[in-house]
Amino acid sequence: MKASIRLLNKRRFLPLFVTQTLGAFNDNLFRTVVVLVATYGIYSNPQMETRFSALATGIFIIPFFLFSALAGQLADSHDKARIIRIVKIAEIAIMATGAIGLWGHSIPLMLIAVFAMGIHSTFFGPIKYAILPQHLKKDEVLGGTGLVEAGSYLAILGGTVVAGFVNSQIAGAVILLVALSGCYASKSIPDAKAEKEGEPIDHHIFRASYRLISATMHIPRLFLAICSISFFWAIGSVLIIQFPPLVKNLFYADKQVASLFLAIFSIGVAIGSVLINRLLCGKVSARYAPGSVLAMGASVLWFEQVIGRWHNIPVHRFFSVPEFIQQPGVILVFSALLAVAITGGMFVVPLYAFLTTTVEKDHTARTVAANNIMTSGAMVLGGFLAALASNSGFSTSQILYSVAGMCCVAAWLSWRLHCSCD
């Protein structure tokens, strides 16, 4: 842990860490504000609330599916630091559009900005992992990946907390300020020249995506790692889509409590990200992945049992945060939610490090991009199924049981990865 923390003193890591953290904060603050505005200020129907939450998630994820192949090719054939700076300049324009949407309460403008932030993250995502093996030593990559993940989820924590406690006018000003700060931080990232600079790029997004997936997924270890990660994010998308409607309609709590649920989930993944690095002592391995995701499934079932016994219903208004945390059984609710997130973080972080350390350096970004295509498809599918299940009358308990079943599939995949590679 100390060795990992020392990376924060290094110019080869700190500017990237700050840029990524600010971007994650901004992205999550904006998207959470949009969802909470719709859930608490526009809709009053649980099915419509879940549908909008799934729609916002889908709009953000679709660019990963469409443009990840192009992003991976660019990252492997051009200076990664230069691409980051261009992407962060674009973030300023995107957040200006989002801020106008928030100030004018324009759902179309907000959703356009959500889609554009999806494009922004699509091009930044492969780079933030692929650049680590270039700037870090081999025994530092897992620790660096863990810190990036922990920083990301702590940023998500900050974004979700702020989203619950600010109005749309203040949120618009904050996202603009953070975008400017992220652009400034990106200027200090050291150059990361491509291994094969100037390599031709296939601009046909569907053909490039097919070729990228074909070139990656035929390798058994990458196939298993990517499938495992995809299942994790499908599970995560189902859970996160459920939180705001769940808090409003089951716990009868306000948007600050919904923000608190998302924050606890983010804290848990950050803890799991750092904890697994400690258990593995810096070695990239899937050894603990099967047990971690099975523990995640058990925690989901525990969460279902805890919320099934919740019976506190106010008469005329929603619980505020101070009122909610005084309710009997709330400690069990938070503990179960935290357990789901910690075990999830322990499962997924080594798999990301696995993607970037088991391929040649000139293919790391493309490998991450192939993973992003598969993962985004899994998240969109998870969100669609969650919305479909809600509209078809499936209860929260039934959805959570399905999530636990998905954890078993992820455990099987990660066990095969462990057996074949460790």
Side-chain angles (χ1 to χ4, degrees):
M1 179 61 186
K2 291 180 180 178
S4 299
I5 294 297
R6 278 199 291 270
L7 290 174
L8 295 175
N9 293 325
K10 310 295 184 182
R11 182 173 176 264
R12 56 196 170 96
F13 181 77
L14 179 61
L16 174 68
F17 177 81
V18 172
T19 302
Q20 156 63 17
T21 302
L22 289 174
F25 173 88
N26 222 20
D27 163 47
N28 200 73
L29 169 62
F30 177 65
R31 287 191 292 126
T32 304
V33 167
V34 170
V35 171
L36 291 179
V37 165
T39 301
Y40 285 89
I42 298 176
Y43 301 114
S44 58
N45 181 290
Q47 294 179 353
M48 288 298 299
E49 292 157 7
T50 302
R51 188 180 302 170
F52 182 86
S53 182
L55 174 64
T57 300
I59 286 175
F60 178 77
I61 295 300
I62 284 173
F64 286 88
F65 189 75
L66 295 176
F67 304 118
S68 285
L70 179 60
Q73 292 179 85
L74 284 172
D76 279 335
S77 59
H78 293 75
D79 188 310
K80 297 176 181 63
R82 182 170 178 268
I83 295 175
I84 289 175
R85 296 180 191 114
I86 294 172
V87 167
K88 300 315 286 186
I89 291 173
E91 183 185 359
I92 297 173
I94 295 167
M95 288 295 95
T97 303
I100 294 171
L102 288 174
W103 293 332
H105 296 281
S106 170
I107 290 294
L109 270 183
M110 289 189 281
L111 290 179
I112 288 171
V114 168
F115 180 76
M117 278 303 290
I119 298 176
H120 162 277
S121 298
T122 298
F123 283 88
F124 185 73
I127 296 174
K128 73 178 181 182
Y129 292 111
I131 202 172
L132 292 178
Q134 286 188 254
H135 287 165
L136 304 182
K137 299 174 184 176
K138 188 174 181 180
D139 61 352
E140 295 175 332
V141 173
L142 180 61
T145 304
L147 282 177
V148 167
E149 287 296 296
S152 296
Y153 281 97
L154 288 175
I156 292 172
L157 162 65
T160 52
V161 170
V162 172
F165 288 88
V166 298
N167 58 38
S168 56
Q169 283 69 34
I170 295 176
V174 171
I175 60 175
L176 268 176
L177 179 61
V178 174
L180 290 167
S181 301
C183 183
Y184 178 78
S186 70
K187 295 180 179 179
S188 299
I189 298 175
D191 292 342
K193 299 293 184 182
E195 297 286 326
K196 297 180 180 178
E197 195 157 349
E199 191 174 352
I201 294 173
D202 186 353
H203 293 87
H204 192 295
I205 58 175
F206 296 109
R207 182 178 60 209
S209 297
Y210 175 77
R211 289 177 175 175
L212 179 62
I213 293 172
S214 299
T216 303
M217 298 294 280
H218 76 280
I219 303 172
R221 66 181 187 277
L222 297 180
F223 172 81
L224 293 169
I226 289 173
C227 287
S228 300
I229 293 171
S230 297
F231 262 96
F232 171 80
W233 284 112
I235 292 166
S237 68
V238 173
L239 290 175
I240 291 173
I241 286 169
Q242 295 296 315
F243 286 157
L246 178 71
V247 170
K248 179 182 177 183
N249 301 300
L250 182 65
F251 293 110
Y252 297 93
D254 62 16
K255 68 175 185 177
Q256 282 80 23
V257 177
S259 182
L260 179 62
F261 267 63
L262 293 169
I264 291 172
F265 193 79
S266 303
I267 291 173
V269 177
I271 293 172
S273 300
V274 176
L275 179 60
I276 192 62
N277 182 47
R278 176 72 180 116
L279 290 174
L280 290 172
C281 300
K283 181 182 178 182
V284 178
S285 169
R287 183 191 321 161
Y288 295 109
S292 296
V293 75
L294 285 176
M296 182 181 179
S299 300
V300 169
L301 294 178
W302 180 27
F303 183 67
E304 187 279 330
Q305 292 295 314
V306 170
I307 65 175
R309 294 194 294 266
W310 187 271
H311 298 297
N312 299 310
I313 303 175
V315 178
H316 298 298
R317 58 187 175 81
F318 293 122
F319 284 127
S320 64
V321 171
E323 292 169 338
F324 182 76
I325 61 177
Q326 293 177 5
Q327 300 304 308
V330 72
I331 298 299
L332 286 176
V333 172
F334 288 161
S335 298
L337 181 60
L338 191 64
V340 172
I342 290 174
T343 50
M346 292 178 64
F347 169 70
V348 76
V349 167
L351 301 182
Y352 274 111
F354 192 91
L355 291 180
T356 60
T357 57
T358 58
V359 296
E360 298 298 326
K361 288 185 178 181
D362 62 330
H363 281 78
T364 49
R366 299 185 197 196
T367 302
V368 176
N371 172 71
N372 286 348
I373 294 172
M374 297 299 295
T375 301
S376 61
M379 291 183 71
V380 171
L381 180 60
F384 172 77
L385 292 177
L388 181 63
S390 177
N391 291 335
S392 300
F394 283 82
S395 67
T396 300
S397 294
Q398 290 172 317
I399 293 174
L400 292 178
Y401 276 116
S402 299
V403 167
M406 294 170 68
C407 288
C408 294
V409 178
W412 174 71
L413 289 168
S414 58
W415 172 254
R416 288 189 59 191
L417 175 65
H418 168 58
C419 291
S420 63
C421 298
D422 292 337

